[in-house]
Amino acid sequence: MLGMALAALDGTVVSTAVPQIVGDLGGFSVFSWLFSGYLLAVTVTLPVYGKLSDTFGRRPVLIAGIVLFLVGSLLCATAWSMASLIAFRVVQGLGGGALQGTVQTIAADLYPLKERPRIQAKLSTVWATSSVAGPALGGLLAGYADWRWIFLVNLPVGVVALWLVVTYLREPGRTAPAAPASPAARTGTALRHRVDWAGALAVFATGALLLTALVQGGVAWPWLSAPSFAFLGGSAVLAAVTVVIERRAAEPIIPGWVWRRRTIAAVNLALGALGLLMVAPTVFLPTYAQSVLGLGPIAAGFVLSAMTLSWPVSAALSNRVYNRVGFRQTAVIGIFLALLILLAFPLLPFPGQPWQPALIMLLLGGALGLFQLPLIIGVQATVGWSERGTATASILFCRQVGQSVGAAVFGAVANSVLASRLADPPSPGLPRDLDSVSTALENPAALTAEAAEYLRRAVDAAVDRVYLGAAVAAALALLVLLVLAPKRFPVIAEKDAD
């Protein structure tokens, strides 16, 4: 949990200190890469660390991840320019990828199936606590100390986590099964693992180009532009190269069975849709709360935090449902409820009361707790120890990619709605994109009452469309589960899974 806290706190703590960081280092035009660079590094390394943990064990991968994260944190605290800070954030992300995937895998290794919801719920509380406490902690450190302490506070937490892992985490002597056709298998000699470094590099490069296109498209450059075509085209070419490399590799980073097995493939797609729909509450709800409801940043954060309160509770109780009706049916119930809740958001009155979206988020967290955790635990229960890291990393990777796709798609949807609403504004000089509208509403003195009301209604319409898009993503996840996922997951007995 301490290792997970390092990755969970990092993004939320940094977000509130951006003004101080930019004021000290400059680089306002590229500061978004403080988050994008970290996200890229975490996402593209997840499959690599998953395979490495199956090959060499969870303990060395987790230790390496913590050390790399702490080195990156120390380097961030010594950054002398925005470029150096972004580079060091990437180093942090390289460690964060090991933390996110490996901790989830270790939880499945250490605890039997009936206890995993309780443990996973505790891990979820780490993220819930971070989403609430992180911005406040970042603001306090940036306002009363120095923004560099935001990275230095990782060191004592990480050192304690590292000491606990080194001292107490012991793994049985297990090895991945040798391929039957290998010379080692035929002669009876010990198999020496060969790391697929070419595949790892290809996966990393493909993911980096694709996510850069999704994160920066429509922000740093227009979607229909040469940079977008170059990055998307390059990622497509590298994806084809990656497939060729992985088919020829003896121990591929992304083995073909990840997509050939119905259970894992269906869960990958369903959690990719979850990442897509999560963009609506996490990215657009704070803007809605501040621009439409007129709340401050802290109050807007509490509206969002309602979801993080119900999610762990629902996840912890999900075993009482899936033990009776199965993993798939529990997830179907959860995502169907989420679909109805997302469709209810556009029905909220304008401007409404803060408790109304907070109630929506509370119900959404409960529904998604029933949806996500049974799928993760269900997939982990269908594979043995030697495949668990790869399977876990694949579903986390798909969820991360879904979030990147969602940010790009829903950002375009919101800006399109705003552009149509502001094509013939009641007052001249009104902004025409979401960021500019939010900035304008923070300075109401510069607007007439009529213009401010018009802007608020435009933001309300844009966020309503985003939630409708999130409902479509929920419907896709529901369809995937009903059509592709088996009615009963092929769970392996505990002794066989080891």
Side-chain angles (χ1 to χ4, degrees), residues 229 260 383 393:
F229 293 139
R260 287 195 298 268
V383 295

Side-chain angles (χ1 to χ4, degrees), residues 405-427:
V405 173
V409 171
F410 292 147
V413 168
N415 283 327
S416 174
V417 173
L418 285 172
S420 65
R421 291 299 178 100
L422 297 173
D424 187 21
S427 300

Side-chain angles (χ1 to χ4, degrees), residues 46 171 241 295 322 429 475:
L46 276 170
E171 293 186 276
V241 173
L295 301 179
Y322 68 64

Side-chain angles (χ1 to χ4, degrees), residues 73 142 176 197 223 357 368 397-398 419 484:
S73 298
W197 294 117
W223 281 109
L368 294 179
F397 173 77
C398 289
L484 295 182

Side-chain angles (χ1 to χ4, degrees), residues 46-78:
L46 276 170
V48 177
Y49 286 126
K51 179 60 180 179
L52 291 178
S53 73
D54 284 342
T55 304
F56 301 107
R58 328 298 188 208
R59 188 171 181 267
V61 173
L62 183 58
I63 290 173
I66 294 175
V67 170
L68 195 55
F69 190 92
L70 294 181
V71 169
S73 298
L74 184 60
L75 290 173
C76 286
T78 63

Side-chain angles (χ1 to χ4, degrees), residues 321-322 325-334 370 482 486-487 489:
V321 183
Y322 68 64
V325 301
F327 292 113
R328 189 193 79 156
Q329 195 60 29
T330 303
V332 165
I333 294 171
L370 280 179
L482 293 176
K487 292 183 178 180
F489 284 16

Side-chain angles (χ1 to χ4, degrees), residues 339-388:
L339 170 60
L340 297 180
I341 294 164
L342 290 167
L343 288 173
F345 187 92
L347 301 178
L348 293 178
F350 176 89
Q353 299 296 320
W355 67 265
Q356 294 168 333
L359 177 61
I360 293 283
M361 290 303 100
L362 188 70
L363 296 174
L364 183 62
L368 294 179
L370 280 179
F371 169 67
Q372 176 182 258
L373 189 59
L375 293 182
I376 294 177
I377 293 177
V379 164
Q380 291 176 334
T382 65
V383 295
W385 185 94
S386 61
E387 296 177 338
R388 191 172 290 146

Side-chain angles (χ1 to χ4, degrees), residues 175-236:
T175 56
S182 67
R186 291 195 299 267
T187 60
T189 59
L191 174 68
R192 184 174 183 178
H193 292 291
R194 290 188 293 173
V195 180
D196 179 23
W197 294 117
L201 181 61
V203 169
F204 190 95
T206 303
L209 284 184
L210 175 61
L211 292 176
T212 299
L214 294 174
V215 169
Q216 294 299 302
V219 179
W221 51 72
W223 281 109
L224 299 178
S225 64
S228 283
F229 293 139
F231 277 100
L232 291 173
S235 63

